[in-house]
């Protein structure tokens, strides 16, 4: 292969290093006004009045929006449940919920006007966390505080526990964390009676389009969602966030309106679900897993957002990559008076793996077994079902686990220093990813044989453009510099379901491959005419079609068809994979396998951790762009280290205490591993183009249990609550 | 039909009446700088020095461009002959030719800097007009002053004259005229090493793309040409005009640069060819045409631009819509030291028709025949060859002529008032139009069944968007308000050859029709699966597919294929019509028939004309949007009245005297006909969608001879030189 498998320069590299890359916040429109939001100071309250008279009189104010102005549209939205109001209606359900908003000639005037709005509230009791929300006399956020529940089983878990030699039951808790993309949510909306245009930092523009078309009851083709470069998503910009509010503000103001959240406001858009998993596992004396039951409780915050799907995925991921003859999972998403929780890199998986992979090591310790051996004994093999009824495993966790263990020097003796304990830990997971698998693409070959690839994949930093260009270039044998990618404008690129769930390289990759093959087929048809030959006698090589000793360029073929300098070929690619029963395939499109092996140093005096070594193994099938694969994997691990070591959104009676970079601690360079190694497994066994699978999520999942397992190996202390802050580690050591 | 044939509101109507429509000049880019051009004050001179030192030192100046900075690119361009330098190299060939240019932070600074550039010249003798350029010792503009010549014949013209009862020979002259689009040429260019983006008021963005890719030697896909709304083209914005200069300025300045011409500068970009036609026609006593010979001399100005094609088309149009057993045409485009001449609404035709249709009436007068009868006797019938070797006539000039004559009350007595003479005149023409016939289109059907139509046709005021939307809506049976048109960005819409030559409704219409039919075929395939039926048993009606008594919506079919709310269907349409011999069809794609019948009042004291009645007949095959057809025809006639009555660019020794609206007289409302009637002939016999042919050019062609013929009928005075200003008419009356 010529370009696939090569770490060519990213298509957006120069734009980004020169600062020329345009983000939503860089866009200026003629007549654009600026919006600011009045948000609720209370976590749960009835709104008794909103007085905007003074705000409206402030010079420079062009519109003040209150919920009563939303009567002619559907004011509720949400990707699973339409429960989120554009502005709070009647009551507020979390601190930071938008109550009213102002549009003005500049941001400062808008802010001043927001401060002139007088809203009064009648406070309601607060369901601050899962326990409070599930209590018998809990204050109700919605008709029920159970947003969603998900149950499945196979075998008979109770019977399995009865057969087991040992049964382990433990409870693990996982904190609320925030994505902290560098770019807070930003949208510029322009509403006109003819249609809606929104520039927004969204990951799923076609879903934003559908949501707005529904809210305003207009056809899809009248809504245009344009996504410039996005400064990180990680799920925080999945589905629809601030766009409906921005559009309502533009409608009220009669001009384009920019709504750019502050970091504090962005903290109150969406977050990862806090979780409590009570996991019970029955094993035989030789370590064979027999049965598992888990109850997962997820804190889904004030509105559903993607909670129902997170609830399912967390449940699906409870068995991990292991054989269980008997399994039962009960997963709940629970409403609380906090920031709504939604998608975050590998939804539900870090929470599930934190419990299940920690417990695997606890079982090993109790049985006196090597944690690696215990895992290898129980791992599912390639081609076997990891989750009954779903696609069989398309990679080998055994291979990954062995390579990770070897790389970290598993079982080798470690130098011990007084006061500093060293240990190693493992973690492993397989995640059902790919989301809904519908993607489409257009590939256009111009009269000179150069290509334009049109895709709905958003560029959220992951480097999708170069990968998709590589796929098209490879199919047609064209140099990469002759390929351009046009992306992320719903009026001009064809449908894509979403950018997330590790899906773009695989699914949009297949769509691009299909579109390029469509162009190829048309070229062969033209060449068959040119050579007066059957197309089977033709071969495409180096941007030319060859027939016996003769050849013709793509460019010549197009110009023979359309005239000198004229014409182009248009190829389309549809991806909507089917299951064997003819139904549309649902998740997973493939299994993402991620393995972590880590060496940890624990300072016994302070509880501070250091990570001398970290090995991450990603089974990518085929690395279209190896450097970017490593970058994605590395980024996922670093974000995992964040929630493992430091990150937690702290609420006190429904008030978020740390919505800023000072109080919300993310990893800094000195927190990162001294030596990091990302290993890619490439068996070309993925369903994507050239055997690729997606990645970018696997690395985050097993970070926490691997580090906790290493702490245990180093100190004998088992911590079941994240994050593993120095204080928590120190207390655990003290209580040992 | 549901929408085709209906004068629905234009898609751009609200944008335009609310002022929201964006033209190139409305666009602001971050960091954009402004350019001004130093142009030659002399019509012909050697450049001896350009001193830019002072200009460069002016604060706010970011770049000064001189020809020596163009050494690393091809500095010459042109759509037929690459003879036009981006900046004059070594010598200037017309007054107003760009010599150097400045980029600065604002327009005023740029203008001040331009005034600080010192250029010195060595004057050369001037070839001010055709005669001067063809003189034996003429100053040479290029290797030869003959830019292009074109000859064809059939029969034997000399023998034909010998056979004829009468031979008439007359010379007619046609002035240089300027298009006077409301929007002068404007371009914003952004050059980066990764590629070029240009926003420009261009009619043919894909040709600008090809020209820039060639000049800068980069692949087509790295050049993006975006055409916002255009404030009128009429040919003045055909091919490539100021774009290469704008790109060079951006390259020099390292930022986006806006180059917006003033009206005076725009007068010096391109114009219509002045012409002298010496036409010799042999006829029998009964009026039968026997032979014709014509020598056409066209003043093509300083560079070729579209001169060679104009030279051919003028020649092609000399026989008019009449049978000639013997014909010879010799057509020449001659370089002179004036503004280069290029495309202008119906290239070459008004010049040819001015001569030929005036002479028809002179022949009728000489033979004592009715001019209508003489025409009807000699007109070519539908299905006959009007120009030997070309496509036969696809409409009936006889029908048009009869309807026009009837509508104007031909032959009816007219009240005569002392000092005011009244007369009627006819004019007729058929033009080979459609240009190079390659067009492509994409039609996307979204998950809710709404449509996006993607086309390269530029919206130059003609209303192309609604017509193309109507075609797609009609094919698929969808309401027009569910169709959106995305146009005129070479990176996102597929190839179109050009917008001009009356081609878009026919050729892009066919491409859109083909793309919509492609979607239709895909819907039928999905419906065949849905109903488990053969597609022949299915019928598409009202946005649904019907099978026996059941039906399914397009939206359901798409979502069955791609999942809930997901997916879209992508249809492509290619148009590259072939002749019977398999070669690409060349012009004409169809014959555009335009007929004029006019009533004129001549004030004998002042020479002032009034037009009580004007009937224009356009054979449109099928009017997709009747109101727009009438608007196009009306606009063409008004522009024809301009060159007939007032318009002429006046040069004195190579200096243009009247490049502004004060001195260059265009028609005002009081100059227009009291009663104007546009009649559309609809026999659904065109090659376009639903039997349509293009229009928009036919109306301009016969205006001048029809008016001159009416003056003759009113006064007995025959004028052979345009425009028919009051002074010229008065002098002719005086000399009668």
């Amino acid at each position: 292969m010529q370009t696939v498998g090569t770490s060519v320069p990213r298509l957006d590299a120069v734009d980004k290093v020169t600062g020329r890359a345009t983000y939503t916040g860089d866009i200026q429109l003629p007549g654009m006004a600026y919006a600011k939001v009045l948000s609720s100071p209370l976590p749960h309250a009835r709104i008794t009045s909103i007085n905007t008279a003074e705000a409206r009189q402030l010079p420079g104010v062009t519109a003040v929006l209150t919920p009563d102005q939303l009567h002619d549209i559907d004011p509720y939205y949400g990707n699973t449940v339409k429960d989120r109001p554009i502005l709070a209606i009647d009551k507020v359900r979390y601190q930071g919920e938008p109550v009213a908003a102002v549009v003005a000639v500049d941001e400062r005037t808008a802010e001043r006007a927001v401060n002139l709005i007088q809203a009064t509230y009648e406070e309601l009791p607060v369901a601050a966390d899962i326990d409070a929300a599930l209590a018998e006399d809990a204050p109700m956020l919605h008709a029920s505080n159970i947003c969603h529940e998900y149950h499945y089983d196979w075998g008979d878990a109770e019977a399995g526990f009865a057969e087991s030699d040992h049964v382990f039951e433990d409870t693990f808790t996982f904190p609320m964390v925030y994505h902290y993309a560098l770019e807070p949510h930003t949208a510029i909306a322009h509403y006109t009676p003819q249609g809606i245009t929104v520039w927004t930092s969204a990951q799923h523009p076609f879903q934003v389009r559908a949501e707005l078309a529904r809210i305003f009851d207009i056809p899809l083709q009248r809504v245009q969602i344009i996504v410039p470069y996005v400064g990180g998503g990680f799920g925080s910009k999945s589905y629809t966030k601030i766009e409906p509010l921005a559009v309502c503000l533009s409608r009220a103001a009669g001009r384009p309106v920019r709504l750019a959240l502050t970091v504090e406001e962005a903290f109150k858009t969406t977050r990862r679900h806090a979780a409590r998993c009570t996991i019970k596992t029955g094993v035989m004396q030789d370590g064979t897993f027999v049965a598992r039951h888990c109850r997962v409780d997820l804190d889904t915050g004030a509105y559903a957002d993607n909670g129902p799907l997170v609830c399912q995925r967390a449940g699906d991921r409870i068995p991990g990559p292991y054989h269980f003859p008997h399994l039962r999972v009960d997963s709940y998403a629970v409403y609380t008076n906090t920031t709504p929780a939604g998608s975050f890199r590998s939804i539900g998986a870090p929470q599930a793996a934190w419990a299940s992979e920690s417990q695997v090591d606890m079982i090993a310790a109790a049985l006196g077994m090597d944690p690696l051996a215990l895992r290898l004994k129980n791992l599912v093999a390639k081609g076997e079902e990891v989750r009954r009824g779903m696609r069989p495993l398309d990679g080998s966790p055994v291979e990954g686990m062995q390579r990770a263990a070897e790389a970290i020097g598993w079982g080798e003796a470690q130098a011990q220093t007084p006061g500093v304990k060293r240990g190693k830990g493992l973690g492993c997971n397989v995640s059902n990813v790919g989301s809904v698998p519908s993607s489409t693409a257009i590939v256009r070959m111009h009269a000179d044989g150069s290509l334009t690839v049109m895709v709905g994949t958003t560029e959220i930093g992951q480097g999708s453009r170069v990968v998709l260009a590589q796929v098209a270039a490879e199919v047609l044998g064209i140099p990469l510099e002759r390929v351009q990618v046009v992306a992320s404008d719903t009026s001009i690129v064809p449908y894509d379901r979403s950018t997330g769930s590790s899906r773009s390289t695989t699914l949009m990759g297949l769509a691009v491959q299909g579109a390029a093959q469509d162009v190829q087929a048309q070229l062969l048809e033209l060449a068959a005419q040119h050579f007066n030959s059957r197309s089977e006698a033709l071969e495409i090589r180096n941007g030319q079609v060859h027939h016996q000793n003769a050849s013709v360029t793509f460019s010549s073929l197009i110009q023979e068809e359309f005239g000198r300098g004229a014409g182009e070929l248009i190829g389309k690619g549809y991806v909507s994979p089917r299951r064997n029963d003819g139904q549309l395939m649902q998740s997973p499109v493939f299994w993402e396998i991620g393995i972590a092996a880590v060496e940890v140093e624990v300072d016994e005096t302070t509880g501070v951790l250091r990570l001398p070594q970290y090995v991450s193994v990603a089974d990518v099938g085929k690395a279209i762009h190896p450097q970017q694969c490593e970058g994605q994997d590395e980024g996922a691990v670093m974000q995992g280290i964040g929630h493992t070591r430091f990150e937690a959104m702290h609420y006190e009676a429904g008030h978020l205490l740390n919505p800023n970079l000072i109080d919300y601690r993310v990893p800094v360079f000195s927190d990162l591993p001294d030596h990091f190694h990302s290993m890619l497994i490439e068996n070309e066994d993925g369903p994507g183009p050239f055997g690729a699978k997606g990645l970018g999520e696997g690395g985050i999942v097993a970070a926490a249990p691997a580090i906790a397992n290493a702490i245990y190996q180093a100190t004998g202390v088992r911590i079941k609550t994240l994050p593993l802050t120095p204080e928590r580690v120190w207390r655990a050591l003290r209580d040992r």
Side-chain angles (χ1 to χ4, degrees), chain A residues 23-34:
Chain A
Y23 294 79
T24 303
D26 295 322
I27 290 167
Q28 293 288 328
L29 298 180
M32 186 173 83
Y34 295 79

Side-chain angles (χ1 to χ4, degrees), chain A residues 57 106 182 185 279 293 354 387:
Chain A
Q57 279 158 26
D106 57 36
L182 280 181
H185 302 74
I279 190 164
H293 170 242
W354 168 237
R387 168 83 173 75

Side-chain angles (χ1 to χ4, degrees), chain A residues 469-601:
Chain A
Q470 284 176 289
V471 170
E474 191 68 52
V475 170
L476 288 157
I478 286 174
L480 191 69
E481 55 275 19
R482 293 176 69 82
V483 184
Q484 193 89 353
V485 176
V486 171
S488 312
D489 178 333
T490 60
S491 285
I492 64 176
V493 300
Y495 181 85
D496 184 30
R497 195 270 177 183
S498 50
T499 298
S501 201
S502 303
R503 72 189 296 287
S504 298
T505 298
T506 303
L507 291 163
M508 186 54 81
L510 284 174
V512 169
Q513 188 182 34
Q517 286 165 343
D518 184 0
V519 169
Q520 193 178 41
Q522 295 176 49
L523 286 167
L524 287 173
E525 211 172 292
L526 294 176
Q529 281 170 36
H530 174 91
F531 288 118
N532 197 13
S533 151
R534 290 170 312 111
S535 33
E536 297 78 50
L538 303 170
E539 194 198 345
I540 285 199
R541 198 158 18 90
N542 299 326
Q544 304 208 324
V545 185
H546 296 263
H547 177 255
Q548 294 165 358
N549 292 327
S551 67
V552 61
T553 63
F554 297 164
S555 175
S556 301
L557 289 171
I558 294 172
Q559 298 189 41
E560 278 173 22
E561 178 63 16
F562 289 98
R564 198 163 66 85
E568 66 174 62
L569 299 179
I570 301 161
K572 66 171 187 287
Y574 294 162
V575 173
S576 57
R578 305 268 142 189
R579 302 187 309 209
N580 292 339
D581 63 1
Q583 293 300 300
L584 262 178
M585 188 186 284
Q586 295 299 322
S587 176
V589 176
F590 60 94
W591 291 94
E592 183 170 355
I593 301 176
I595 315 279
V598 61
E599 183 181 3
V600 171
E601 274 184 15

